[in-house]
Amino acid sequence: MCDGKFDCRDGSDEENCIDASSNCTFQDGLCSWSFGEFQDNWKLTDKPSPSDETGPYLVEDSNRYLLFEASEIDENEESEVISGTFKNAVCLSFNYMMNGAQMGKIKVERRDELDSLESLVWEKTGDHGQSWIETEISIVPSNGMFRIVISAVRGRTFASDIAIDDIKVKNGICKAKTKCTFGRGEDCGLQFPKVDESYFVWKKDFAKIIPPRLSKEMVLILLIRLFRLKNL
């Protein structure tokens, strides 16, 4: 029986099971997910963030989501949302918003049932703006049954609200994307080299690379280079 409980000693009753309630839009609560420590930091809401300049500003009517509200907690305080149990590899997808100048991070870990050890699978840090971003993450077991833990970590100030929505879990690892529209802020698994980040930024809205505003340091470097070229 796929209910997240071990009715058989060997866990065979939960084998190859993906409980439909692992998929959650939060319209009717947490589904099969549960809160971990510091659960009061999570708010199930259909309203914008109560804090200025962080979290969702606008929310569609009656669209409930889960908000990690950072205004009255300490820096680096962490709150969890925990799944039921799985035995085989799964593909986890969800939408997240990390809007705030002092953003912390969001991470996904695999927690083994046998020894409660946690392994980091995925994480994001920093301000990603006022948009919902969709991500897909493959989670592979290493020691039998496991749970998925989604954690939000508070940044330096209140401006680090984190929102999540539309969790889906499917059997098997995630399929590689062969097409990407960069819709809803998705990064399509692209990795951008740090070596160029001082000179260029990736502008997803126009699917091209454009120069950013130059910092004072970059202006000084360019002036020195121009001076040297002039005096060659």
Side-chain angles (χ1 to χ4, degrees):
M1 181 178 182
C2 298
D3 58 0
K5 299 177 181 179
F6 300 113
D7 300 308
C8 300
R9 289 185 178 182
D10 61 359
S12 59
D13 58 307
E14 295 296 309
E15 190 172 357
N16 299 320
C17 288
I18 295 292
D19 189 344
S21 61
S22 296
N23 301 328
C24 197
T25 63
F26 301 111
Q27 296 304 102
D28 299 309
L30 292 177
C31 310
S32 64
W33 294 74
S34 60
F35 293 128
E37 291 186 310
F38 304 110
Q39 68 179 51
D40 291 341
N41 297 337
W42 291 109
K43 304 290 188 297
L44 195 57
T45 182
D46 58 1
K47 302 292 190 296
S49 169
S51 303
D52 294 333
E53 300 181 357
T54 188
Y57 296 161
L58 299 173
V59 180
E60 296 178 8
D61 291 342
S62 301
N63 180 35
R64 301 182 81 188
Y65 66 97
L66 203 53
L67 176 68
F68 174 76
E69 219 275 293
S71 59
E72 296 183 2
I73 59 177
D74 297 328
E75 183 178 357
N76 292 323
E77 189 165 311
E78 183 175 330
S79 296
E80 303 171 338
V81 183
I82 306 169
S83 75
T85 53
F86 305 98
K87 184 174 183 179
N88 299 313
V90 297
C91 176
L92 168 72
S93 67
F94 64 96
N95 297 329
Y96 65 92
M97 183 184 293
M98 300 176 72
N99 175 44
Q102 302 295 328
M103 185 54 61
K105 65 182 175 182
I106 186 171
K107 60 184 181 177
V108 174
E109 295 171 299
R110 185 197 66 230
R111 177 180 293 171
D112 294 333
E113 280 289 281
L114 183 63
D115 50 21
S116 295
L117 289 178
E118 294 181 350
S119 301
L120 181 65
V121 179
W122 173 94
E123 72 173 7
K124 287 288 182 180
T125 61
D127 183 4
H128 291 264
Q130 179 62 208
S131 62
W132 287 100
I133 301 172
E134 182 180 8
T135 189
E136 284 191 341
I137 307 153
S138 294
I139 304 176
V140 179
S142 71
N143 195 15
M145 305 291 286
F146 66 93
R147 296 179 188 269
I148 300 169
V149 181
I150 303 175
S151 301
V153 183
R154 203 247 200 193
R156 291 178 58 191
T157 73
F158 74 92
S160 54
D161 285 0
I162 295 174
I164 62 174
D165 200 2
D166 294 332
I167 297 176
K168 298 183 181 69
V169 183
K170 297 182 291 186
N171 268 317
I173 62 173
C174 305
K175 295 181 179 179
K177 290 191 174 183
T178 58
K179 182 178 180 180
C180 182
T181 64
F182 296 99
R184 299 190 74 180
E186 61 178 329
D187 59 17
C188 306
L190 292 175
Q191 300 291 325
F192 302 106
K194 292 184 178 180
V195 66
D196 292 326
E197 66 185 4
S198 297
Y199 300 91
F200 300 101
V201 292
W202 179 254
K203 188 68 175 176
K204 296 177 184 176
D205 293 344
F206 303 103
K208 64 181 181 181
I209 296 176
I210 63 172
R213 289 178 294 181
L214 295 177
S215 65
K216 292 180 181 179
E217 292 80 7
M218 283 301 303
V219 171
L220 181 60
I221 291 171
L222 289 173
L223 287 174
I224 292 172
R225 288 179 177 176
L226 287 172
F227 178 78
R228 288 175 176 173
L229 287 172
K230 185 178 179 181
N231 289 277
L232 285 176

